[in-house]
Amino acid sequence: MSEGKPKVAYLGPAASYSHQAALASFDKEEYDLIPQVSIKDVFTSIQSGTFIYGIVPFENSTYGTVLFTLDLLVDREDAFPSLLVCGEVYLPVHHCLVGHSARKEQPQEVASSSIDDKRENIRGLESQPNATPSPSPRIEHDFKHISTIYSHPAAFGQCETFLSTHLKTAQQEPVSSTSAAAEKVAQEEVPGKSCAISSKLAADLYGLQVLKEGIQDSNDNETRFFILRKDSEPMDDGKTSMPTVSPRDEEKWKTLISFTLPRQPSGT
């Protein structure tokens, strides 16, 4: 991390879809991308002034709105009064089932590679934002050994058809992000009992096998991310410094409106 670069917060850990959206939005030569544990941590880091920008998932074309983000934007407790949305990015999302195969033979390259070695691949991707992990070999795996699945709640919702067909009895355990799910599976003491819904990039980073690619319900699955920043700070004279905006720029603006209605009998 460079002291002189502006900091950008994203929902981590590394290789999350939020990380990939951040890579698509911010030049690594100009910004430091720093992972956060939760979406709320991203909001808090910007409100406190620790970070200049943050990037959070807002809605998905299959699953709908990310409620965690929506609740924080509504901000009923007035915890983030200075935050505003200053940009957006759309990211295609292709989920994979990742973990350890039930077969006895394990690829030697997975067994001998450390997490630190895999992190070098992430650094390479960050220097080439449009690069993608190399394709995994097409191997059919048996899922009977899997008793637990880890992922972000939204990912479960986006893969309902596959899960109900192939992993109907497996217990679904929600975690903070898809890459955190892959990390958890990689750390399990008895490999093979659990798996994660995550990306190829996360599987590569944590030394996991891609058991099945493209398990999302829709092939055009896409997530919309918001870029957040803090509103302009008050100047010494008490006035607020706001940038000059041309009419042409205003045409590109979008508005989010939050409102409440009085409680009335249903149907009114």
Side-chain angles (χ1 to χ4, degrees):
M1 183 173 67
S2 174
E3 291 295 332
K5 293 180 182 180
K7 299 176 183 178
V8 179
Y10 67 87
L11 177 62
S16 66
Y17 290 110
S18 293
H19 185 199
Q20 296 175 49
L23 289 170
S25 306
F26 295 93
D27 188 344
K28 279 288 294 179
E29 296 299 319
E30 299 180 8
Y31 297 91
D32 276 328
L33 309 183
I34 313 297
Q36 304 297 301
V37 175
S38 67
I39 294 175
K40 186 176 182 179
D41 288 339
V42 176
F43 276 71
T44 301
S45 66
I46 305 168
Q47 180 64 42
S48 67
T50 306
F51 289 73
I52 302 298
Y53 295 104
I55 187 162
V56 294
F58 179 66
E59 62 182 353
N60 176 265
S61 59
T62 301
Y63 190 66
T65 304
V66 179
L67 297 180
F68 301 106
T69 302
L70 182 61
D71 286 344
L72 292 168
L73 287 171
V74 172
D75 195 20
R76 292 186 177 91
E77 303 298 325
D78 200 28
F80 312 108
S82 302
L83 298 196
L84 55 80
V85 178
C86 63
E88 60 184 3
V89 58
Y90 291 82
L91 182 76
V93 175
H94 304 292
H95 291 302
C96 299
L97 189 72
V98 304
H100 299 283
S101 173
R103 299 183 308 171
K104 293 182 180 180
E105 63 273 16
Q106 297 289 336
Q108 293 299 315
E109 60 179 7
V110 173
S112 62
S113 298
S114 67
I115 294 296
D116 288 338
D117 293 335
K118 295 296 182 179
R119 288 188 189 280
E120 292 300 322
N121 293 337
I122 298 296
R123 296 191 184 98
L125 183 73
E126 290 177 344
S127 63
Q128 305 176 54
N130 295 325
T132 56
S134 56
S136 302
R138 290 187 174 275
I139 302 175
E140 291 299 324
H141 294 277
D142 185 359
F143 307 130
K144 294 180 180 178
H145 64 292
I146 297 172
S147 59
T148 305
I149 312 170
Y150 297 99
S151 199
H152 189 277
F156 287 131
Q158 295 164 27
C159 304
E160 288 181 348
T161 300
F162 176 84
L163 294 176
S164 62
T165 302
H166 300 283
L167 291 160
K168 191 172 184 178
T169 61
Q171 182 176 351
Q172 297 180 9
E173 292 287 346
V175 293
S176 61
S177 71
T178 54
S179 55
E183 184 178 31
K184 191 172 184 65
V185 171
Q187 294 173 346
E188 67 178 350
E189 295 181 359
V190 183
K193 295 296 183 181
S194 65
C195 66
I197 298 176
S198 194
S199 65
K200 283 185 181 181
L201 184 61
D204 187 56
L205 174 62
Y206 295 109
L208 299 174
Q209 292 176 272
V210 175
L211 305 180
K212 187 69 175 180
E213 298 180 22
I215 66 172
Q216 67 279 352
D217 292 344
S218 175
N219 288 330
D220 58 357
N221 190 36
E222 187 176 59
T223 297
R224 179 188 182 194
F225 293 83
F226 279 166
I227 301 173
L228 308 175
R229 69 169 174 84
K230 196 172 182 179
D231 201 355
S232 300
E233 296 288 348
M235 300 176 65
D236 292 340
D237 60 0
K239 297 179 180 179
T240 301
S241 175
M242 295 295 291
T244 301
V245 180
S246 68
R248 179 174 297 179
D249 290 333
E250 288 182 345
E251 292 176 359
K252 300 178 183 178
W253 287 16
K254 298 180 180 180
T255 302
L256 291 175
I257 300 176
S258 173
F259 59 92
T260 58
L261 296 173
R263 292 182 177 228
Q264 300 287 348
S266 59
T268 61

